[in-house]
Amino acid sequence: MEVTVKPFENYQGQTITQVRLKNNQGVEISCLSQGATWYEFLVPNKAGGHQNLLMNFDHCAAYYTNGLCCCQSIGRVAGRIKQGQFNLNNKSIQLPTNENGNTLHGGDQGFRFLNWDFSTEQSSQTASVMFTKKIEAQVDGFPGDCLVHITYTLDNQNKVTLTFTAENGPEATLFNPTCHVYFNFSDRPDLSTHELKINSTQHLQLDSELIPTGQMCANAKTPYDFSDFQNLQTAIQANQGFDDAFVIAGSSQTPQLVASLRETTHGRQVNLLSESNGLIMYTMSQQQPGVSFKRDHGALAQPSEAVALEAQMLPDAINHPNFGDIVLPAHATRKHQIIFALQQN
């Protein structure tokens, strides 16, 4: 196992650091301190080089000229909170809003906007980087202050484990983080060779602002049916794209299989595991002007060039009691894990 640390660039007067983890199989990941961003997932190819399974940008500024949240850490709460409002311990809370009067992905001072402190650790079988930040109410507008750690661990089984930990102070708050990771396993600027399977029989009904209505809809016999592997490009075309929340079947206190994404040309597959009860799929179905991912083809990002798969508790859970508990009590510590297990033929 290897760990290397180097400056990435200067952004807004701060030094942004890139941390690289490499295992004994030649698989590497790298992360940026800005946004605790997952920057690379490098897999050896038959030509002797590496293929990056993630989408990324050359410079930090590009992450903030669009709303893609590309492979960045999201919190305190992923997804949308209707009108930025909720009740907590019999107190009405109003959060800052940043999308159509709603609060999206922790607002405009959420995790992805921060340059995180970090430390590294390695052993014979694992290498890790832990990003740490005190999250303050006066900055992001959520109640209470808490200490948050975001840890990326690569092991020799080609498994990436992402662990979010919050150590709360004397005031209850919310905690429902995720990584807004975008995948494309191929050399193509589309998902035509990708197949997806999701452990889900239902998805959330959303209103015109993509806020859950509280109703759950059956996936069977619809483009949302990924009970077995389905061609992702075909499903995207049938549904005119996805920006949807899938309800994960069953409940677990430990990570369970949520979804599997595979690519038929190169024989790569990533299994996604989490203890959360939701999976958001976003397929970037409309091209955003000026967005150009760092890819070998060097062109502007195409609609449905990548798929975002975000494991989290269901969105707006604080306003829907049956969506899961995202309240972090005073003086409590809570952990969320997302595991990305790589398989290759």
Side-chain angles (χ1 to χ4, degrees):
M1 305 295 296
E2 299 178 18
V3 177
T4 57
V5 178
K6 69 175 185 179
F8 182 73
E9 66 176 356
N10 186 279
Y11 176 66
Q12 294 185 337
Q14 299 188 67
T15 298
I16 309 305
T17 303
Q18 183 177 15
V19 181
R20 184 175 302 278
L21 313 177
K22 182 178 180 180
N23 73 8
N24 298 344
Q25 322 306 324
V27 172
E28 304 177 28
I29 71 168
S30 75
C31 304
L32 304 182
S33 59
Q34 181 67 27
T37 300
W38 191 4
Y39 192 65
E40 294 171 309
F41 191 176
L42 298 175
V43 177
N45 58 29
K46 295 179 181 179
H50 286 84
Q51 174 73 40
N52 186 13
L53 306 187
L54 309 183
M55 311 304 290
N56 62 18
F57 296 106
D58 286 307
H59 299 287
C60 288
Y63 285 86
Y64 303 104
T65 59
N66 57 77
L68 296 178
C69 310
C70 183
C71 298
Q72 295 187 298
S73 292
I74 303 298
R76 302 183 194 194
V77 175
R80 295 170 176 85
I81 298 176
K82 185 175 182 178
Q83 297 178 348
Q85 296 176 353
F86 58 93
N87 290 313
L88 183 60
N89 293 338
N90 298 317
K91 182 179 179 181
S92 179
I93 305 293
Q94 176 64 64
L95 301 175
T97 58
N98 62 328
E99 187 201 57
N100 300 322
N102 304 304
T103 300
L104 173 64
H105 290 333
D108 283 341
Q109 301 296 324
F111 291 0
R112 74 186 194 96
F113 293 96
L114 306 177
N115 187 23
W116 293 68
D117 301 322
F118 70 93
S119 61
T120 63
E121 186 174 323
Q122 66 187 102
S123 69
S124 62
Q125 296 298 317
T126 64
S128 299
V129 55
M130 181 172 69
F131 296 104
T132 300
K133 205 76 173 176
K134 183 178 181 181
I135 308 301
E136 299 178 317
Q138 65 178 3
V139 175
D140 70 357
F142 280 77
D145 298 343
C146 58
L147 184 65
V148 174
H149 309 281
I150 301 173
T151 304
Y152 292 84
T153 300
L154 174 67
D155 67 22
N156 272 330
Q157 287 68 52
N158 298 334
K159 182 173 65 179
V160 179
T161 300
L162 180 50
T163 305
F164 297 87
T165 305
E167 303 171 13
N168 200 21
E171 185 176 355
T173 189
L174 306 184
F175 190 58
N176 183 19
T178 193
C179 180
H180 208 302
V181 60
Y182 286 80
F183 289 115
N184 183 322
F185 298 170
S186 73
D187 302 315
R188 302 168 56 91
D190 60 48
L191 297 166
S192 59
T193 58
H194 290 69
E195 297 177 339
L196 179 65
K197 182 178 180 180
I198 303 176
N199 180 24
S200 172
T201 60
Q202 294 178 303
H203 62 280
L204 296 186
Q205 182 185 75
L206 306 176
D207 67 16
S208 61
E209 295 181 350
L210 302 177
I211 302 292
T213 65
Q215 299 298 311
M216 297 184 184
C217 306
N219 297 339
K221 300 181 180 180
T222 77
Y224 294 87
D225 189 355
F226 292 92
S227 55
D228 201 355
F229 281 102
Q230 299 294 333
N231 182 274
L232 194 48
Q233 193 77 7
T234 300
I236 289 169
Q237 292 171 351
N239 201 54
Q240 298 183 329
F242 291 90
D243 191 352
D244 289 281
F246 290 81
V247 182
I248 300 306
S251 60
S252 177
Q253 298 299 312
T254 57
Q256 63 169 331
L257 184 63
V258 169
S260 298
L261 179 67
R262 70 186 184 190
E263 200 275 329
T264 57
T265 303
H266 297 87
R268 299 181 180 123
Q269 179 170 320
V270 168
N271 297 320
L272 190 159
L273 300 91
S274 175
E275 79 284 356
S276 299
N277 66 356
L279 179 72
I280 310 303
M281 178 163 68
Y282 175 56
T283 57
M284 199 182 69
S285 299
Q286 294 182 348
Q287 184 162 352
Q288 301 193 28
V291 173
S292 180
F293 285 124
K294 186 178 181 181
R295 297 287 287 175
D296 292 339
H297 56 77
L300 290 179
Q302 301 299 308
S304 304
E305 180 172 348
V307 57
L309 297 173
E310 310 151 55
Q312 60 170 85
M313 298 299 287
L314 292 171
D316 203 26
I318 190 60
N319 291 313
H320 297 275
N322 61 327
F323 281 12
D325 181 15
I326 65 169
V327 174
L328 180 61
H331 302 296
T333 297
R334 183 166 295 176
K335 179 176 71 175
H336 287 291
Q337 280 195 327
I338 310 172
I339 298 171
F340 304 88
L342 172 68
Q343 297 178 356
Q344 293 195 95
N345 294 336

